[in-house]
Amino acid sequence: MTQRTSVAMTADTHDALARALLLDGREDVRLATYRPSTGATRRTALVRRLVPPEPGELGFRGNAALTGRYVRRAATLAWADSCGLILAHGHPGEQGWQGVSGADRETEAAYADLAQEITGLPLVGLTLASDQSWTARHWDRDVGATVAENVRVVGDRLVVSWNDDLVPPPRTRRGQARTVASWGERTHRDLTRRAVLVVGAGSVGLDVAVRLAATGVTRIGLMDFDTVEEHNLDRLVGATRVDAWLRRSKVDVVGRLVDLNATAASLRLETSELSVCEPAGLAAALDFDVIFSCVDRPWARAVLNSVAYAHLIPVVDGGIGVDAFSDGNGMRGATWRSHVVRPGRPCLACNGQLNLAAVTADRAGDLDDQRYIAGNGGDQGENVAALSVSAAAGLLAQYVSLTVAPGGLGDPGPLRYVLSTHTLEHVPAHTRPACPVEATIADGDLALALAGAHHAADHRRAARRAAERTWDVRLGRAADDLLHRLHARLLGVAERRLRVGEVAA
Amino acid sequence: MTGDHVAAFVEGLRRLRAHPEVRDGLVVYRVDLVETAVEVAELTGWPMAPPHWIHLPAVVVLPATNSQRSTRSGWLRHSRQVDGWGGDADPVRAWVAHVRGVLATAR
């Protein structure tokens, strides 16, 4: 069983619960339903809907009190919707993440077995303080309460309530002074402990990951199954001909750059050579709080598009399109786009950035099949380093808006920069009435999983493993690894010298 | 889950009186008296992602087509992309409309 737990809900659900729990300034209690979202190491309860009490189902004996009838009725409704049960308390006058009071613990413990008996899922306890901070725990039968590491509310801002004991606020450092001064200590501590995954370690993903590390983010995931090749070197800034010769994976090379540029006192870097389209890759992605989509294939983008709604993990997506003249002489133009994919905003298919009809062909490997490509006229996929950094900047600005909400405004909606006219446009986009993706909000593990076997990823990894067994690559890697270890040691010396200076100052 | 997706697709075709049958890894059905099919393996994303290849008897000739041999003897499969998938409340009806549009170009 995965032991890390969390809770996520939409801003609309949060508002409905807050109205019910904190309305008249006295302690109140409500039941709600949730669907599980199971990652590789974390399980999240996705809040689905509030179950309002019927007359006689709530009482007040000093504190708010539930009746067994309310619990049984809500649990039965939850079971019918393949959900678990949430018991939510309001704590007016309290601030921040809290320990569970004796009365709340008794109430939750008293109903945990009944809820699990009816729904088949553990009861989840939630507490809401006056400052809108949540606290949460999962009640597994024979285990007791497992306290969550955070509770996330997804709206035009991503608002996170943190359990400081499980995810301590990172210590800010002198090397982050300018960054901290830009948005303040409190925001920085919140922003830098969010687990951020970058899917796709190409030119855009590299820039995004390195900038996140420089900002001080303490947990960064990198996912890509691809290998550095010579034709990548004009865009993969920091990768070298040595990396291409030694058949380094992109996540190894980008991970090295992330490590070099990290300003956090301690960076937890998780690299994965999986595709997010593979079941294990998808499970790994569900462990993160925010995902950057830096991929260009429809299948991977469709998987991430689904994750944003079904699993309530905001996906910051975007990319660049360079429009070359067909005669190879000059450039017609270029555009780069950025948007946050989340409930309340149109999905990638609705905003015109994903053709769901291309997913099946990609999944079948047709987009890598030369016969298919020849039959469809092929796709050049032009891109240049001088412009891909602008796409990365667009994604990062969306992330800062989602996280920091400068001037109180969260994510701005889809944006497009047109290079030929040098104009930045808001792109009008609306959810289609029968959008099959946005209909899956908080479906969690029951959502249609587009993940499956990924033969191109298997092939790339196998080719890399085969190259790693040749003598020249093995010798070259040994020499290259030694150089990197020496450099890492030198960085360690510099770190200690700077710390001496920091203490002296 | 795959079986559920195929069942949903077949049920939708049945509702439209397209006479669907599952055989040899294909869902075979009729659109305007023409027998056509899609691969069962392409329905794992249904209804979020539609199938890609349209299987037709080789006697049905499509202009400027990207065609490959079908798994069914005497048939070809044709690569035809759908524009704007996901905007129809009834995805099976949308799929049949797509196939009908492709057949309209046949010689």
Side-chain angles (χ1 to χ4, degrees):
Chain A
M1 178 187 296
T2 49
Q3 285 307 306
R4 295 170 53 230
T5 65
S6 70
V7 171
M9 67 186 87
T10 65
D12 288 345
T13 305
H14 166 87
D15 291 344
L17 279 168
R19 275 195 302 273
L21 294 172
L22 299 174
L23 181 64
D24 54 8
R26 68 179 179 180
E27 189 172 320
D28 214 333
V29 62
R30 288 291 185 278
L31 296 171
T33 65
Y34 78 91
R35 285 257 177 91
S37 164
T38 310
T41 64
R42 180 181 78 179
R43 57 198 164 112
T44 301
L46 308 174
V47 187
R48 296 268 291 181
R49 56 182 57 95
L50 183 60
V51 181
E54 291 181 345
E57 288 186 334
L58 279 186
F60 289 90
R61 294 192 297 272
N63 295 324
L66 296 151
T67 62
R69 190 177 82 184
Y70 185 19
V71 175
R72 276 193 301 276
R73 184 175 65 82
T76 305
L77 287 172
W79 170 80
D81 193 27
S82 304
C83 287
L85 189 68
I86 288 174
L87 204 168
H89 316 259
H91 278 185
E94 301 289 344
Q95 305 282 316
W97 192 280
Q98 300 156 57
V100 196
S101 70
D104 290 351
R105 177 173 284 277
E106 280 176 25
T107 308
E108 291 178 7
Y111 289 117
D113 280 354
L114 175 63
Q116 185 145 7
E117 189 67 37
I118 295 174
T119 66
L121 292 166
L123 178 79
V124 169
L126 275 177
T127 311
L128 180 64
S130 283
D131 64 354
Q132 310 282 305
S133 296
W134 289 101
T135 305
R137 57 243 145 234
H138 281 58
W139 287 85
D140 293 281
R141 186 178 287 159
D142 303 329
V143 173
T146 304
V147 181
E149 61 183 26
N150 67 20
V151 177
R152 305 180 301 280
V153 177
V154 184
D156 69 334
R157 296 181 62 184
L158 174 61
V159 180
V160 187
S161 301
W162 290 103
N163 180 344
D164 288 348
D165 293 336
L166 295 181
V167 190
R171 184 167 53 87
T172 55
R173 310 175 77 203
R174 202 165 63 166
Q176 300 169 328
R178 298 283 173 92
T179 305
V180 176
S182 299
W183 44 51
E185 188 92 25
R186 186 175 166 183
T187 298
H188 191 72
R189 287 184 170 182
D190 170 37
L191 185 151
T192 52
R193 59 178 147 166
R194 295 173 184 210
V196 187
L197 173 67
V198 179
V199 181
S203 57
V204 175
L206 180 150
D207 276 327
V208 166
V210 166
R211 299 281 164 178
L212 290 172
T215 301
V217 174
T218 53
R219 185 175 164 209
I220 298 174
L222 287 172
M223 188 180 290
D224 199 315
F225 59 82
D226 217 346
T227 308
V228 175
E229 295 184 70
E230 203 171 0
H231 65 80
N232 301 135
L233 298 179
D234 61 351
R235 286 157 292 116
L236 217 50
V237 177
T240 67
R241 283 184 290 278
V242 174
D243 296 317
W245 164 45
L246 297 179
R247 307 288 295 160
R248 297 282 194 191
S249 68
K250 284 185 177 174
V251 290
D252 270 359
V253 172
V254 176
R256 192 176 69 208
L257 296 166
V258 164
D259 233 355
L260 281 172
N261 286 282
T263 60
S266 170
L267 170 67
R268 181 174 160 192
L269 175 63
E270 297 167 36
T271 59
S272 167
E273 296 184 5
L274 293 167
S275 162
V276 76
C277 301
E278 296 172 287
L282 175 59
L286 299 183
D287 286 349
F288 288 83
D289 302 326
V290 180
I291 299 175
F292 279 87
S293 161
C294 303
V295 290
D296 53 6
R297 286 294 188 89
W299 185 14
R301 294 183 85 202
V303 169
L304 292 172
N305 193 37
S306 172
V307 163
Y309 298 91
H311 296 273
L312 301 185
I313 301 175
V315 173
V316 186
D317 177 86
I320 186 165
V322 177
D323 189 7
F325 282 122
S326 56
D327 64 0
N329 189 17
M331 189 172 85
R332 192 189 306 271
T335 56
W336 47 91
R337 294 174 180 247
S338 61
H339 30 252
V340 178
V341 190
R342 61 165 179 86
R345 291 283 188 207
C347 82
L348 286 177
C350 291
N351 78 16
Q353 291 303 291
L354 168 66
N355 180 3
L356 286 170
V359 172
T360 304
D362 190 10
R363 188 173 182 170
D366 289 334
L367 304 189
D368 296 305
D369 180 345
Q370 291 309 314
R371 284 185 312 153
Y372 177 89
I373 294 167
N376 284 287
D379 176 12
Q380 297 305 309
E382 296 88 352
N383 194 357
V384 291
L387 297 181
S388 64
V389 67
S390 299
L395 267 68
L396 287 161
Q398 290 273 4
Y399 176 64
V400 169
S401 290
L402 178 73
T403 307
V404 179
L409 296 174
D411 97 67
L415 296 174
R416 174 178 55 211
Y417 190 90
V418 182
L419 183 66
S420 55
T421 54
H422 286 276
T423 45
L424 180 65
E425 304 168 339
H426 283 267
V427 183
H430 303 284
T431 294
R432 293 170 296 175
C435 173
V437 181
E438 294 178 51
T440 65
I441 291 173
D443 273 358
D445 295 341
L446 291 186
L448 168 65
L450 290 168
H454 195 303
H455 301 302
D458 287 339
H459 175 74
R460 290 299 178 105
R461 288 188 294 257
R464 200 157 54 239
R465 298 288 100 82
E468 285 167 3
R469 286 194 289 271
T470 61
W471 276 108
D472 67 325
V473 169
R474 287 169 68 176
L475 283 172
R477 282 197 173 200
D480 192 45
D481 289 344
L482 180 63
L483 285 172
H484 287 302
R485 278 201 297 276
L486 286 172
H487 190 223
R489 187 164 291 186
L490 193 60
L491 284 172
V493 172
E495 169 77 20
R496 284 192 293 278
R497 293 297 172 98
L498 285 169
R499 205 178 301 152
V500 169
E502 198 167 332
V503 171
Chain B
M1 289 300 281
T2 302
D4 294 345
H5 304 157
V6 176
F9 186 72
V10 168
E11 178 51 34
L13 289 171
R14 194 166 286 135
R15 213 174 47 245
L16 296 175
R17 297 194 177 88
H19 308 291
E21 282 179 60
V22 180
R23 53 177 192 250
D24 304 329
L26 296 174
V27 179
V28 183
Y29 58 99
R30 286 180 179 276
V31 173
D32 301 337
L33 301 179
V34 178
E35 204 170 34
T36 178
V38 297
E39 287 161 53
V40 166
E42 289 205 327
L43 290 169
T44 51
W46 182 264
M48 203 174 283
H52 177 72
W53 296 94
I54 296 175
H55 293 241
L56 289 166
V59 293
V60 180
V61 179
L62 300 178
T65 188
N66 180 8
S67 303
Q68 295 177 5
R69 189 181 303 164
S70 168
T71 50
R72 193 169 188 198
S73 173
W75 283 40
L76 290 172
R77 63 177 196 170
H78 304 267
S79 171
R80 280 293 187 276
Q81 200 60 278
V82 189
D83 287 330
W85 182 257
D88 198 298
D90 182 348
V92 176
R93 200 176 57 178
W95 173 255
V96 169
H98 168 61
V99 174
R100 189 172 283 133
V102 171
L103 288 174
T105 67
R107 288 197 294 261

